[in-house]
């Protein structure tokens, strides 16, 4: 039996279009910052990839290539020209730990959506994810943006789980994306920023806002993956897949159809992962950053879930190459448990 991969929220397989684009990039081995003809050729390819990524994402501002979403978040929170920082309690561990360690204010949750308190400090950089990586909950970014901007703040949106799938929120001031979440290469991502004036320069590359030589093959692969677009399943097929699990699906506000949190009536998440792995299915319990921990998910607890239910919850996440037949096979395997 061939294995079925349903852990795309952790990382998605490289799209063939991205692989082909990277091969072209590897042939342009010169440093894009070098002044000679080879370097200028690499620079032209890098800038072309930048404009293609912006067009595919529908972003009108600036784009800084990074090594991934985590580095993009560090650039944003360390170099943002703001007075204070705040974040929601359900942010990804890579964001939560990084930002909380800098004394950021943590905002509460109401019914799975961010509840911005009236006492949020003026001129804050507020971090909110567009789609939660464990529950698939989709935040009301438009409403949140109005509150943040009303306090003269800036809105930072984590789009690692939504870029390439949903439209990047136009009202965001900063956005982070990771190419490997939508079929691009590992090791490349971006910080989208409305205006460079929102950041303090911190390096010699990427207009002076990043250190380190640009990853040209990665940037070209990222652009190609964003442009590829199509999925093997339709929205109707994914919706029917989710509906088929009935009460086993954790309902957490408005949710996307490609990240599905499932709770078993009695079996622990660790036991479920072992059983499903033996049956040929790759799924996970929570984000990949914290999946090795036996503690209940911090994110699920922040959503109001009790420890017992959190310990019996796994995440099934679909991607660009997931087929309807694979969804049917998983549904049958789940029923057998």
């Amino acid at each position: 039996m061939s294995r079925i991969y349903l852990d795309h929220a952790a990382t998605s397989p490289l799209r063939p279009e991205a692989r082909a684009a990277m091969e072209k990039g590897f042939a342009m081995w010169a440093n894009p910052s070098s002044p000679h003809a080879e370097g200028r050729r690499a620079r032209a390819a890098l800038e072309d990839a930048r404009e293609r990524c912006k067009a595919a994402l529908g972003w009108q501002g600036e784009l800084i290539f990074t090594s991934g979403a985590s580095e993009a978040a560090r650039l944003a929170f360390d170099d943002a020209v703001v007075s204070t920082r705040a974040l929601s309690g359900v942010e990804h561990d890579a964001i939560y730990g990084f930002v909380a360690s800098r004394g950021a204010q943590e905002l509460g949750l109401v019914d799975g959506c961010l509840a911005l308190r009236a006492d949020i400090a003026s001129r804050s950089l507020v971090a909110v994810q567009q789609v939660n990586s464990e529950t698939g909950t989709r935040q009301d970014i438009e409403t949140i943006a109005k509150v943040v901007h009303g306090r003269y703040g800036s809105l930072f949106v984590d789009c690692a789980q939504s870029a390439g799938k949903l439209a990047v929120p136009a009202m965001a001031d900063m956005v982070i994306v990771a190419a490997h979440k939508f079929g691009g290469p590992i090791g490349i991502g971006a910080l989208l920023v409305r205006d460079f004036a929102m950041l303090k320069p911190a390096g010699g590359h990427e207009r002076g806002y990043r250190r380190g030589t640009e990853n040209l093959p990665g940037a070209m692969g990222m652009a190609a993956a964003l442009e590829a677009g199509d999925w093997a399943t339709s929205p109707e097929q994914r919706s029917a897949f989710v509906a088929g699990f009935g009460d086993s699906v954790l309902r957490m506000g408005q949710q996307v159809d490609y990240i599905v949190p499932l709770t078993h009536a009695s079996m622990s998440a660790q036991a479920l992962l072992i059983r499903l792995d033996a049956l040929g299915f790759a799924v996970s319990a929570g984000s990949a950053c914290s999946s090795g921990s036996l503690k209940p998910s911090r994110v699920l607890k922040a959503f109001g879930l009790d420890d017992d239910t959190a310990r019996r919850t796994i995440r099934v996440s679909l991607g660009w190459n997931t087929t309807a037949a694979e969804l049917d096979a998983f549904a049958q395997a789940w029923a057998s448990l």
Side-chain angles (χ1 to χ4, degrees):
M1 172 184 172
S2 60
R3 291 185 58 80
I4 294 176
Y5 183 80
L6 295 173
D7 195 20
H8 291 261
T11 197
S12 219
L14 189 66
R15 284 180 178 267
E17 298 91 342
R19 185 185 300 274
M22 292 179 71
E23 289 176 354
K24 293 180 181 179
F26 285 127
M28 299 182 200
W29 43 263
N31 190 319
S33 295
S34 297
H36 44 62
E38 291 82 357
R40 295 195 303 273
R41 178 169 173 255
R43 168 60 63 180
L46 181 70
E47 296 309 317
D48 176 68
R50 191 190 314 276
E51 292 305 313
R52 289 165 57 201
C53 285
K54 287 169 58 177
L57 292 168
W59 184 251
Q60 301 299 316
E62 307 293 346
L63 186 150
I64 301 170
F65 283 119
T66 66
S67 61
S70 294
E71 186 201 354
R74 187 198 64 76
L75 285 175
F77 278 88
D78 275 0
D79 301 333
V81 183
V82 294
S83 58
T84 57
R85 292 150 178 80
L87 75 165
S88 85
V90 298
E91 296 306 299
H92 188 282
D93 281 348
I95 306 298
Y96 185 87
F98 174 80
V99 181
S101 68
R102 282 152 174 76
Q105 175 189 6
E106 184 176 327
L107 305 168
L109 287 160
V110 175
D111 296 330
C113 293
L114 186 70
L116 294 173
R117 297 204 307 251
D119 62 350
I120 180 174
S122 180
R123 303 190 184 283
S124 291
L125 180 62
V126 180
V128 184
Q129 58 198 189
Q130 186 176 24
V131 172
N132 186 270
S133 64
E134 296 187 39
T135 67
T137 299
R138 185 173 177 176
Q139 300 282 15
D140 184 357
I141 299 298
E142 184 173 356
T143 298
I144 294 167
K146 291 178 181 177
V147 176
V148 172
H149 293 156
R151 299 289 293 173
Y152 302 101
S154 299
L155 180 61
F156 166 102
V157 182
D158 178 358
C159 289
Q161 295 295 347
S162 57
K165 307 174 183 77
L166 304 176
V168 168
M171 65 290 298
D173 298 294
M174 297 185 191
V175 170
I176 60 171
V177 301
H180 71 104
K181 303 292 189 179
F182 50 77
I186 293 173
I188 186 76
L191 170 63
L192 313 183
V193 57
R194 186 169 300 285
D195 192 293
F196 280 139
M198 302 179 72
L199 295 174
K200 295 177 292 186
H205 295 276
E206 289 297 279
R207 286 19 178 221
Y209 291 91
R210 179 182 184 262
R211 298 177 179 87
T213 301
E214 295 93 339
N215 178 358
L216 175 59
M220 294 173 67
M222 177 175 169
L226 281 170
E227 292 170 342
D230 292 339
W231 281 34
T233 53
S234 67
E236 293 76 19
Q237 288 172 321
R238 296 192 295 273
S239 179
F241 171 71
V242 176
F245 293 100
D247 292 340
S248 293
V249 180
L250 280 181
R251 305 295 178 182
M252 298 285 183
Q254 183 183 4
Q255 291 168 292
V256 295
D257 59 10
Y258 53 86
I259 296 178
V260 189
L262 295 177
T263 300
H264 194 275
S266 58
M267 201 177 300
S268 71
Q270 286 70 31
L272 287 167
L273 297 186
I274 293 170
R275 292 282 297 276
L276 288 166
D277 190 48
L279 291 172
F281 297 92
V283 295
S284 65
S287 68
C289 295
S290 58
S291 59
S293 173
L294 295 179
K295 297 179 181 178
S297 164
R298 174 190 59 78
V299 169
L300 294 182
K301 291 179 69 175
F303 269 111
L305 220 61
D306 62 89
D307 286 356
D308 179 59
T309 304
R311 287 191 176 97
R312 292 183 282 107
T313 299
I314 65 169
R315 177 187 69 184
V316 178
S317 50
L318 323 182
W320 65 271
N321 64 342
T322 304
T323 66
E326 289 174 335
L327 297 184
D328 289 341
F330 180 82
Q332 293 176 24
W334 179 264
S336 74
L337 298 178

